[in-house]
Amino acid sequence: METLQQQAETWRQSAAEAQQACLHAENQARHWESAAKDLTRERDALMQSLYDLQADLTAHQQRQQHQTRLYDQMLMDLLHRHAEEVDFAASPPHVRRASAIPRLLAWCRRQMPVSLPPALQFVRPQLHKLLIGINPVAKVVARSTFFDSDWYRTQYPEAAALGAHPAYHYTVIGAQAGHDPGPWFSTRRYLALHPELAGKGVNALYHFEMEGRRSGRSFGANNGMTATQARHQARAPALPAQEKTRHIEQAQSQLRAFLAGADNRLVFPPHPDPAVSIVVVLFNNAALTLQCLMSVHQHLALPLEVIVVDNASTDETSQLLERLQGCTVLRQQENLHFLRAANLGARAARGRNLLFLNNDTTLRSQALSAACEILDDEPSVGAVGGQILLLDGSLQEAGSILWQDGSTSGYGRGADPMDTLYQFQRDVDYCSGAFLMVKRAVFDQLGGFDPLFAPAYYEDVDLCVRISEAGWRVVYSPRIQIDHVESASYGADGNTNKHIVNNRERFKRRHAARLQRACAHLTTDELYARLTPGRYPARLLFVDDCWPLASLGSGFPRAYEFLASLCETGVFVTHYATSPGNTGLMASHDTLTAGVERAGGGQGQLISFLQDRKGYYDCLVVSRPHNMRAVSAWLEQHPDEAARLHIIYDAEAIASLRELLRSQARPGSPAPSMSLQDEMSLTRKADTIIAVNEAEANMFRGAGRADVRVLGHCVDLHLSPAPFEARAHLLFVGRLAEMDSPNVDAIEWFIEEIMPLLDRQLGSGYGVDLVGLCADELRQRYAHHARVRFHGRIDDLEPFYNQARVFIAPARFAAGVPLKVYEAAAHGVPVVASSLLGRQLSWFDGEDMMLADSPQEFADACAALYHNASRWSAIREAAAERVQRECGRQEFGRRVQGLLAGLLTEAPAASLYAGESAPDQPGSGIQLPLSG
């Protein structure tokens, strides 16, 4: 018995020890499990970092390409803006010289390589300077912005060894040898870009400065690489096939790294109400699929769902799909091909929009949000696509064209996506199925992709045509960008060409009536075919100095409203900037003007632009006298265009009147550049003239112009809520960047002559807030004045209007209508202004505003408004009523509509789409002038 008890005790001890061992083992297991999880997390983090670095590198390369294009454009703009500093226009043309001069130059050239006696070496620099002075080519080279003497000596020691002046050496020897004049200009590249110059002995830099600059030729930039570096690092560009192979190899390496991590996942959080359902159809190409899905993963800020339809892939696709979380994966037992698989995926979708996305594409930033924004904000749009970019960064398509014979083409293929031809939203025939976002309600209503076109090809064209015929628009937007490994997604069955040919014939039979309205493929330029037939009743060209940013003042805020109202009429608008500067880069893609084509070739290319698009436009709107002068000169040479086009001159202001008033207000200022009679005569080619007020309209009528309309400003009422007692300061809003402008003159006059008088009545408890882009000289001049506050450009003016008791507008010379007064009144701030502005507005002194001309009168008027709350309130209310009556948006739009009444009665001439007339004769069936 005792033995049994001892054995039992032994077993209990053994069991306890075993239990302790088990607990210890469990603890150890938990420890190692935790360590393994930590290692897994670290590995996953490292893998994710690798993917992020790869994505960042790709994005950086894309940004670098984009920035290079921007820098090129900015440099060209800089050269145009500073052309007066180089002033090659004043250089004499390279004409035949007197007979003695060539002999002298020839003799001097023969002496160049010969060493002069030591005693005469000092003569060489003076001789070269003499030769440069009498050689027009060398003279231009020496003055060129692109010629760098120090750089040239360093790069080409032989020039220094000869003791030659760099400009003379480049002119006589260097250019022929292919030397570059500086680090930013390539002689060889310039000649290669312009092959018509080859073999003519043309000096590249001289040609650019005398001809190329004016005509907007590319200047052959070295892209930051010196000539020596270029010679050592030059290599042949990669062929497209090589680029594609290299891209796929990189994608496969990325896939292997992703699959090597057992816990690597792509997680797409579920959303109860996704904005878009992304349908991706797969057949193999797992590596490209991973890239595609990772690019989608970068857009998770937008509520989305991903639906993957796998057409029985045989590569690593199955392994990849196992790593997806939150996606709907529809695995098929056979290859349904694109059409049937896409319809299957669409039936599983819950989003309000459907995106059909090829698995050989990657999304760039904002692509999804921009597409959803267009579909959500524009009820008339049924489908949207964007820029599809090839691996080299060039365009595959910017919207697509459907031709009369049923064939199709991508607009802009091979071009620079940043070209202004592709940088505006427009209605198109169709957008490729590589990226096609459709409202789900529209897709469902039309029954999806038609099985008639199975297995693939022409299904996207057919869907877009049916969308258009059902009353919705199909839109292309440059804000949407994707990269595409072309022809890598479709599961080829050896019958691709057969499918294309068969489905094209099916499409032609179904849409025969639509094809009759399409452009003829062989006789029509893409410029005409890029717009959906019948969508735009007319095409209009708007010529002004630059894109109308409100911050520029000088009538540009009104120009913007005019442009937006033109778009609302339905016409197609091209805006041509004659002095683009950098405003094209600053311009934002707002909804109202997103469909405006923005051309910015400058004054030097305006005539060339008009010539290239001769016959394209139905209406021409020209703003400002110098632009009208240039257009009139072209119309004189082309009377057929003068007779066909309806020409509208928009007199933003009568410039000669403003300059005359300036010369009277500021003794010693430049005399007016033109007389009033000269300015009136500029409008003789115009069918319709627009003035900003009745006073200036009557001046045009007095000059014999029959059709003169008035189009003022468009201002919305936003009365600031602060009461009289809560306001303490004076306010001025306007551009102060130009020292000779009316605004700067007004502020100088107010600070120096009016403000001391006002201080006697108000004391020093008030301040003067000056809001608007300001010249440094003006800031420095009044830096000592503590109560004069320069704020620069401010986007949100509400706080300033809300604290201002009086708005000042002491302009002594101006023309047009003062928008600043309208805007101040719209915000509920009473105005004290000069009687000149009162006459321009036809507002009454003491009722709608306070008017004064002398410093004492102006100070008295400000003090009266500042102290008298009842008068302040009465003028505030009367001015607000004026704004509502004179600047209402509805009335502004009605007047713009009236300007185009004749154009809007019928669409452009039918011959455009019948393919029976040359593309230089569009719109000839529209009869003008306008009525109303």
Side-chain angles (χ1 to χ4, degrees):
M1 188 68 173
E2 183 178 350
T3 302
L4 290 175
Q5 289 177 346
Q6 289 175 350
Q7 289 179 345
E9 183 64 27
T10 302
W11 291 340
R12 280 196 296 272
Q13 290 177 357
S14 298
E17 291 173 357
Q19 186 176 7
Q20 288 293 330
C22 288
L23 290 174
H24 179 71
E26 288 176 2
N27 290 334
Q28 287 288 94
R30 282 194 291 269
H31 171 75
W32 290 116
E33 183 180 3
S34 176
K37 288 181 178 179
D38 290 341
L39 288 172
T40 300
R41 280 195 293 269
E42 290 180 12
R43 183 203 59 201
D44 291 347
L46 288 171
M47 291 297 297
Q48 187 61 49
S49 297
L50 174 63
Y51 301 145
D52 291 343
L53 286 171
Q54 290 174 330
D56 289 345
L57 177 60
T58 301
H60 175 72
Q61 292 170 338
Q62 294 167 351
R63 285 195 301 271
Q64 192 173 36
Q65 293 172 358
H66 175 67
Q67 288 173 350
T68 299
R69 290 189 290 267
L70 289 182
Y71 292 154
D72 287 346
Q73 181 61 46
M74 289 169 68
L75 186 52
M76 285 300 297
D77 291 343
L78 184 65
L79 291 173
H80 285 303
R81 291 198 300 275
H82 292 280
E84 68 275 7
E85 295 183 10
V86 182
D87 195 22
F88 290 111
S91 299
H94 190 179
V95 297
R96 187 178 181 85
R97 306 183 187 92
S99 58
I101 294 178
R103 290 198 299 271
L104 173 62
L105 291 176
W107 179 84
C108 293
R109 288 173 188 148
R110 287 195 298 272
Q111 305 310 310
M112 272 290 296
V114 179
S115 297
L116 292 174
L120 297 179
Q121 287 291 336
F122 74 94
V123 177
R124 186 182 295 275
Q126 283 74 18
L127 177 61
H128 289 164
K129 289 182 180 179
L130 171 64
L131 293 175
I132 289 173
I134 63 177
N135 185 323
V137 177
K139 188 175 182 180
V140 167
V141 166
R143 296 168 61 206
S144 172
T145 307
F146 286 115
F147 189 79
D148 187 329
S149 295
D150 294 336
W151 182 91
Y152 191 87
R153 288 192 188 96
T154 302
Q155 290 297 127
Y156 307 109
E158 64 270 24
L162 287 171
H165 187 285
Y168 186 77
H169 186 276
Y170 175 75
T171 302
V172 177
I173 299 175
Q176 287 79 359
H179 293 354
D180 295 332
W184 298 105
F185 187 97
S186 168
T187 297
R188 295 179 187 276
R189 179 165 169 75
Y190 185 83
L191 295 176
L193 288 172
H194 311 294
E196 71 277 8
L197 304 178
K200 296 184 178 180
V202 172
N203 184 292
L205 182 57
Y206 175 81
H207 185 275
F208 171 75
E209 295 293 8
M210 298 304 294
E211 297 184 26
R213 181 194 295 271
R214 295 192 189 98
S215 58
R217 291 174 182 254
S218 172
F219 53 86
N222 265 328
N223 295 326
M225 184 181 293
T226 67
T228 301
Q229 289 172 326
R231 285 194 290 270
H232 290 296
Q233 298 182 21
R235 63 180 179 85
L239 297 174
Q242 295 172 327
E243 190 75 24
K244 183 175 178 178
T245 300
R246 183 161 56 247
H247 180 88
I248 292 175
E249 288 174 351
Q250 291 174 349
Q252 289 171 340
S253 175
Q254 188 177 17
L255 174 67
R256 287 192 294 271
F258 180 82
L259 295 178
D263 295 325
N264 286 338
R265 298 287 186 272
L266 274 180
V267 180
F268 296 88
H271 290 279
D273 184 25
V276 58
S277 298
I278 303 173
V279 178
V280 183
V281 176
L282 311 181
F283 180 75
N284 293 332
N285 290 313
L288 297 181
T289 300
L290 175 62
Q291 286 191 334
C292 176
L293 294 177
M294 289 182 69
S295 75
V296 173
H297 196 265
Q298 300 300 313
H299 293 75
L300 292 183
L302 187 74
L304 57 84
E305 69 170 351
V306 177
I307 300 168
V308 177
V309 184
D310 178 26
N311 277 331
S313 297
T314 57
D315 64 351
E316 299 96 333
T317 296
S318 294
Q319 301 174 51
L320 174 61
L321 296 182
E322 294 295 333
R323 306 296 184 90
L324 304 183
Q325 292 182 4
C327 294
T328 300
V329 178
L330 305 176
R331 300 177 186 268
Q332 306 306 304
Q333 299 304 311
E334 60 176 334
N335 189 348
L336 300 182
H337 300 284
F338 176 79
L339 190 150
R340 292 165 59 198
N343 280 344
L344 181 66
R347 287 195 289 271
R350 297 178 296 112
R352 62 179 178 271
N353 300 311
L354 284 171
L355 172 61
F356 298 98
L357 184 68
N358 274 17
N359 71 320
D360 57 0
T361 65
T362 53
L363 300 173
R364 292 197 177 187
S365 63
Q366 307 305 314
L368 285 185
S369 58
C372 287
E373 181 182 319
I374 291 170
L375 290 181
D376 293 343
D377 293 349
E378 301 186 45
S380 62
V381 177
V384 65
Q387 288 190 345
I388 301 179
L389 307 177
L390 297 171
L391 292 178
D392 63 358
S394 66
L395 276 172
Q396 177 184 320
E397 66 175 70
S400 293
I401 297 171
L402 174 61
W403 299 101
Q404 194 178 71
D405 60 2
S407 62
T408 63
S409 61
Y411 178 56
R413 185 179 180 90
D416 182 353
M418 296 303 295
D419 192 305
T420 56
L421 288 169
Y422 317 110
Q423 282 295 310
F424 64 96
Q425 182 175 307
R426 70 185 195 281
D427 287 24
V428 294
D429 294 337
Y430 78 98
C431 295
S432 168
F435 180 107
L436 179 62
M437 190 178 290
V438 187
K439 288 178 178 174
R440 186 158 66 95
V442 173
F443 188 83
D444 291 344
Q445 179 179 327
L446 297 177
F449 291 115
D450 195 323
L452 174 69
F453 298 96
Y457 298 109
Y458 271 85
E459 73 286 340
D460 48 359
V461 191
D462 170 74
L463 177 65
C464 289
V465 169
R466 288 189 288 129
I467 288 173
S468 297
E469 291 176 343
W472 285 284
R473 296 160 52 208
V474 178
V475 164
Y476 154 82
S477 172
R479 297 165 57 199
I480 302 165
Q481 289 188 318
I482 68 166
D483 296 289
H484 187 208
V485 186
E486 191 175 24
S487 302
S489 63
Y490 180 63
D493 57 5
N495 295 312
T496 298
N497 291 334
K498 176 183 176 181
H499 295 325
I500 293 174
V501 171
N502 290 342
N503 283 350
R504 175 176 168 182
E505 293 305 312
R506 293 185 181 107
F507 181 87
K508 289 169 66 176
R509 288 193 295 271
R510 165 174 283 184
H511 297 290
R514 168 62 178 80
L515 291 175
Q516 286 301 309
R517 303 195 306 273
C519 296
H521 196 177
L522 300 179
T523 60
T524 310
D525 192 285
E526 279 192 342
L527 189 69
Y528 296 90
R530 62 181 179 168
L531 305 177
T532 301
R535 163 64 178 86
Y536 301 94
R539 291 183 290 270
L540 180 147
L541 175 62
F542 193 112
V543 179
D544 201 351
D545 284 358
C546 60
W547 181 255
L549 297 174
S551 60
L552 296 175
S554 302
F556 288 110
R558 172 181 169 275
Y560 172 82
E561 295 293 348
F562 187 11
L563 204 61
S565 292
L566 287 171
C567 294
E568 289 179 344
T569 67
V571 300
F572 173 72
V573 179
T574 300
H575 181 279
Y576 187 94
T578 57
S579 301
N582 62 351
T583 58
L585 302 177
M586 294 162 58
S588 61
H589 287 274
D590 57 274
T591 302
L592 287 175
T593 58
V596 176
E597 179 185 19
R598 304 177 188 185
Q603 189 80 44
Q605 296 184 52
L606 175 59
I607 300 305
S608 175
F609 182 86
L610 292 171
Q611 190 65 31
D612 289 344
R613 297 203 178 182
K614 183 181 176 182
Y616 185 70
Y617 295 104
D618 307 296
C619 182
L620 179 57
V621 178
V622 186
S623 183
R624 306 178 200 275
H626 50 278
N627 294 326
M628 190 63 189
R629 181 182 293 110
V631 171
S632 295
W634 182 77
L635 292 171
E636 289 283 357
Q637 299 174 1
H638 300 279
D640 54 333
E641 283 294 277
R644 187 188 65 80
L645 282 166
H646 185 73
I647 302 163
I648 299 174
Y649 176 62
D650 178 27
E652 171 269 329
I654 297 182
S656 58
L657 183 61
R658 177 171 55 211
E659 292 177 357
L660 178 62
L661 292 171
R662 179 179 62 187
S663 65
Q664 295 171 353
R666 298 174 70 97
S669 60
S673 59
M674 71 175 78
S675 67
L676 180 61
Q677 182 178 357
D678 291 339
E679 188 167 357
M680 295 293 112
S681 68
L682 286 175
T683 64
R684 64 187 183 278
K685 291 290 185 183
D687 299 298
T688 301
I689 296 171
I690 308 171
V692 292
N693 56 35
E694 283 294 341
E696 295 191 1
N698 287 331
M699 297 178 74
F700 285 107
R701 294 181 185 119
R705 305 298 178 257
D707 188 7
V708 183
R709 322 281 183 91
V710 174
L711 183 68
H713 288 284
C714 182
V715 180
D716 296 318
L717 205 62
H718 297 290
L719 294 178
S720 50
F724 175 84
E725 297 78 12
R727 300 166 182 262
H729 303 298
L730 275 57
L731 175 65
F732 174 88
V733 177
R735 182 179 173 90
L736 298 168
E738 293 78 29
M739 291 301 294
D740 61 346
S741 67
N743 285 345
V744 170
D745 174 79
I747 292 306
E748 289 175 338
W749 186 54
F750 181 84
I751 295 174
E752 295 175 10
E753 299 191 33
I754 299 171
M755 200 168 173
L757 301 174
L758 188 58
D759 287 348
R760 298 175 187 173
Q761 303 185 55
L762 300 186
S764 59
Y766 73 97
V768 180
D769 291 305
L770 306 176
V771 180
L773 195 63
C774 183
D776 289 338
E777 181 181 345
L778 190 65
R779 286 179 183 269
Q780 293 169 5
R781 182 177 299 175
Y782 299 109
H784 65 282
H785 210 307
R787 290 185 291 119
V788 175
R789 301 183 287 258
F790 291 94
H791 297 281
R793 179 185 170 185
I794 301 292
D795 291 327
D796 183 11
L797 295 175
E798 293 296 329
F800 290 94
Y801 284 121
N802 206 39
Q803 68 183 10
R805 188 174 289 186
V806 177
F807 187 93
I808 56 172
R812 298 192 294 173
F813 57 93
V817 171
L819 175 62
K820 61 177 69 70
V821 173
Y822 274 132
E823 290 183 331
H827 285 85
V829 184
V831 178
V832 179
S834 61
S835 58
L836 169 64
L837 301 191
R839 290 192 299 273
Q840 292 175 349
L841 292 164
S842 298
W843 284 18
F844 297 110
D845 182 24
E847 296 182 16
D848 308 308
M849 62 194 308
M850 300 289 283
L851 300 176
D853 287 327
S854 71
Q856 187 62 60
E857 290 173 348
F858 207 97
D860 292 343
C862 289
L865 267 183
Y866 195 89
H867 286 308
N868 193 324
S870 59
R871 173 176 283 191
W872 184 90
S873 297
I875 290 181
R876 168 184 159 105
E877 292 174 7
E881 290 176 4
R882 279 277 197 171
V883 172
Q884 199 162 22
R885 184 167 64 250
E886 297 172 8
C887 304
R889 191 168 295 278
Q890 186 174 355
E891 175 63 17
F892 188 91
R894 188 191 67 79
R895 295 193 178 200
V896 173
Q897 185 98 6
L899 287 168
L900 306 181
L903 291 173
L904 300 179
T905 56
E906 54 181 301
S911 61
L912 252 183
Y913 307 109
E916 298 176 355
S917 63
D920 60 349
Q921 299 174 339
S924 57
I926 298 176
Q927 298 298 317
L928 297 165
L930 307 174
S931 61

